[in-house]
Amino acid sequence: MRSLWLGILACAAMLAACGDDDSDFVTRPSGGSSSSLCKDCDDGSSSSKKQGDGGSDAAMTNSSAKSSSSSVTLAIPCKTDSTDICEYKLWPDSDATITSVTIGSQIWMDDNLSNGTKSRYTNWSDAVGERLEDDCNSWLCNPGLGVFRGACPEGWHLPDTTEWNTLIAAVGGRYNAGSLMSLWNEYPWRCGKTPDAYGFSARMDGMVYADGFTSGKGYYAVFWSATERNENQAYAISLSCTGDSASWEYYGKNSRIMVRCLKDDPSDKKIDISSLGCRTETEDNCEYGELIDSRDGQAYKTVKIDTLWWMAENLNYETDSSFCYEDSSEYCEKKGRLYVWEDADTACPEGWHLPSALDVEDLYQTAGGKFVAGKLLKTTTFKDRVGTDAFGFSALPAGLRNADNGNFSWGEYLAYMWTSLSYSNSKAWGIRFSYRLDEVETDEYDKFDALSVRCVKD
């Protein structure tokens, strides 16, 4: 179906890549607008950053540079002090007149997004655009239907971490990224001449924190990515003139950082969801199995989605803090039990586990991305926007039990499922399938809310 890259993500090698809320991104090396996650990793704050405003994620660069280089088109240096044979192009049909430079397989603006003639520092919400800000305010942002334009002109988009890492790999990796820096330098005694060997012309403008403090001017070129770290922070790529290196940093979304746009690839604009899946109204070619829970003898249908085996039914194993919707045993028989998070985290049978962030992301990716996955993973039992159940996952509306008052709600309209990823001491991440939407929503829930459980085979 598509190449998987989950094997490269070893949390032990990524201690700098995850934050104190246990939710974070490292970048997948393959094409597309997606990111992977790391669980149970230590905070990666950089001591060189202002407390609470930013930090560095060196592991993102380390892992992705090595894994992506084999599939990246290497660029050829095209510019010296005396010659310039880089491949430039004028784009007069865009919202603004743009000049670009081709580097490897990508077409980049050869200057920063500007107001008239002056480059502008931009906060992340403005850079990324309203739709992405609204739809991806969670630990898992995978557009699925293609790129987001954000602040960029028509035909261009704000690059995500994967696309930035493709550029870094194309010029020889993170330790050669200084070759993208411009010859222009307001403070030449700090790092001398930089070659701009590929015509990218990254200027050392640094960035501006939310409180107005300017950092890195004359040392760094910093650019937003479309990938957020959490609800308060997002990733930016930092190119250093002092060490010819690139590093992933994270900043508060109210920080103001430069934007460099990437030309859209028409092949990335849309996914034909009708071609996805293994089931149609007339055929069922999915690979099914059966799980027998030795603890109580219950049998569950399972289905293989990409490389993972999922339960195709909700778990119905009774624990101390699990419930039947409306206290009805009939609901439990049809739709499984609802679990508080701590019980959910240990409720799966031996050899199975509560899905991790990586498991969930793989499910989303296989089903076309978060903005269409709901339609392909839901059953036809939902109200309004029913699903096609194209993968045999059979998500069905089972509602939840509210922690505040013990009330049950949304039993015919919404499906809630726990993940193993803790958000804080009191909250954990879950996924939600809605009767109103074709997408899958990801949100944090009170750990004493009771949600459904789907287990994944170890």
Side-chain angles (χ1 to χ4, degrees):
M1 180 182 298
R2 69 186 197 293
S3 60
L4 278 178
W5 352 252
L6 299 179
I8 66 166
L9 300 174
C11 211
M14 297 180 181
L15 293 179
C18 291
D20 50 12
D21 62 356
D22 287 337
S23 60
D24 215 330
F25 293 81
V26 287
T27 306
R28 295 185 185 230
S30 66
S33 305
S34 60
S35 303
S36 302
L37 294 116
C38 178
K39 183 189 175 190
D40 298 327
C41 298
D42 294 334
D43 182 68
S45 312
S46 169
S47 58
S48 64
K49 301 295 171 190
K50 294 179 65 181
Q51 184 66 29
D53 283 339
S56 62
D57 277 344
M60 286 184 65
T61 311
N62 289 335
S63 62
S64 56
K66 288 186 287 187
S67 58
S68 63
S69 58
S70 61
S71 61
V72 167
T73 301
L74 293 179
I76 299 173
C78 52
K79 188 175 179 181
T80 67
D81 286 352
S82 57
T83 61
D84 187 348
I85 57 171
C86 298
E87 184 182 344
Y88 300 104
K89 186 174 180 179
L90 183 68
W91 301 86
D93 295 330
S94 299
D95 289 356
T97 299
I98 296 167
T99 55
S100 72
V101 61
T102 298
I103 303 176
S105 62
Q106 297 174 313
I107 300 174
W108 289 85
M109 283 186 177
D110 64 357
D111 202 354
N112 301 337
L113 196 65
S114 63
N115 287 322
T117 59
K118 186 176 181 180
S119 298
R120 72 176 189 237
Y121 294 102
T122 305
N123 66 41
W124 188 78
S125 296
D126 288 343
V128 86
E130 182 178 355
R131 182 182 173 195
L132 189 57
E133 174 73 356
D134 289 344
D135 290 341
C136 297
N137 192 19
S138 71
W139 56 263
L140 190 55
C141 174
N142 165 36
L145 292 179
V147 297
F148 287 93
R149 176 179 171 185
C152 297
E154 185 71 33
W156 301 76
H157 65 275
L158 186 70
D160 66 10
T161 49
T162 300
E163 292 168 315
W164 275 111
N165 275 344
T166 298
L167 173 66
I168 299 305
V171 300
R174 61 175 300 204
Y175 296 111
N176 192 50
S179 60
L180 297 169
M181 302 288 278
S182 172
L183 291 170
W184 176 89
N185 188 354
E186 187 177 346
Y187 309 101
W189 58 89
R190 290 181 175 172
C191 41
K193 279 191 172 183
T194 49
D196 193 22
Y198 300 90
F200 188 79
S201 303
R203 298 196 302 270
M204 287 155 272
D205 292 326
M207 49 80 60
V208 181
Y209 286 99
D211 62 5
F213 178 79
T214 300
S215 174
K217 194 170 181 64
Y219 288 104
Y220 301 101
V222 189
F223 303 97
W224 278 126
S225 81
T227 304
E228 65 175 344
R229 182 174 187 260
N230 54 43
E231 62 180 340
N232 298 313
Q233 297 170 325
Y235 283 113
I237 189 74
S238 177
L239 307 177
S240 170
C241 72
T242 57
D244 288 339
S245 63
S247 61
W248 280 110
E249 314 286 344
Y250 51 85
Y251 296 96
K253 291 179 179 179
N254 289 329
S255 299
R256 290 180 290 129
I257 293 173
M258 294 296 180
V259 167
R260 188 64 71 95
C261 302
L262 180 64
K263 191 79 178 73
D264 294 349
D265 181 349
S267 65
D268 288 339
K269 283 206 168 189
K270 189 177 180 181
I271 293 173
D272 180 9
I273 64 172
S274 66
S275 65
L276 299 178
C278 46
R279 289 182 74 253
T280 66
E281 292 182 358
T282 57
E283 292 186 57
D284 189 344
N285 298 310
C286 299
E287 185 177 353
Y288 297 106
E290 186 177 59
L291 164 63
I292 306 295
D293 191 339
S294 61
R295 298 170 297 182
D296 58 11
Q298 291 193 74
Y300 300 93
K301 185 178 182 179
T302 62
V303 63
K304 190 175 185 181
I305 301 177
D306 200 25
T307 61
L308 300 177
W309 280 96
W310 287 82
M311 287 176 57
E313 301 175 83
N314 293 341
L315 185 67
N316 189 32
Y317 174 71
E318 186 173 356
T319 66
D320 291 339
S321 295
S322 65
F323 309 88
C324 293
Y325 190 87
E326 298 288 11
D327 299 320
S328 167
S329 59
E330 183 180 351
Y331 262 94
C332 275
E333 291 175 8
K334 290 181 177 179
K335 300 185 178 183
R337 301 184 72 86
L338 305 174
Y339 300 82
V340 301
W341 185 76
E342 285 196 2
D343 276 32
D345 203 30
T346 57
C348 291
E350 183 177 358
W352 294 72
H353 62 272
L354 195 65
S356 68
L358 290 176
D359 296 333
V360 173
E361 186 184 1
D362 184 69
L363 180 68
Y364 285 10
Q365 288 283 355
T366 304
K370 76 181 290 287
F371 292 107
V372 295
K375 183 176 181 66
L376 275 64
L377 297 173
K378 290 189 299 186
T379 66
T380 58
T381 57
F382 278 79
K383 306 283 187 182
D384 296 341
R385 293 196 182 187
V386 299
T388 62
D389 202 15
F391 290 88
F393 184 78
S394 302
L396 74 169
L400 84 166
R401 182 181 185 271
N402 191 281
D404 293 332
N405 52 28
N407 289 340
F408 296 91
S409 57
W410 302 107
E412 300 300 322
Y413 296 91
L414 302 174
Y416 299 86
M417 299 177 186
W418 282 122
T419 77
S420 62
L421 193 63
S422 177
Y423 177 79
S424 66
N425 289 336
S426 61
K427 293 185 177 183
W429 289 106
I431 62 177
R432 178 175 61 237
F433 297 87
S434 171
Y435 72 103
R436 297 181 299 107
L437 303 170
D438 288 337
E439 69 180 79
V440 185
E441 301 168 291
T442 310
D443 208 345
E444 72 272 11
Y445 296 91
D446 190 302
K447 288 181 176 178
F448 288 99
D449 287 336
L451 314 183
S452 298
V453 164
R454 291 290 182 98
C455 303
V456 181
K457 192 172 183 180
D458 294 348

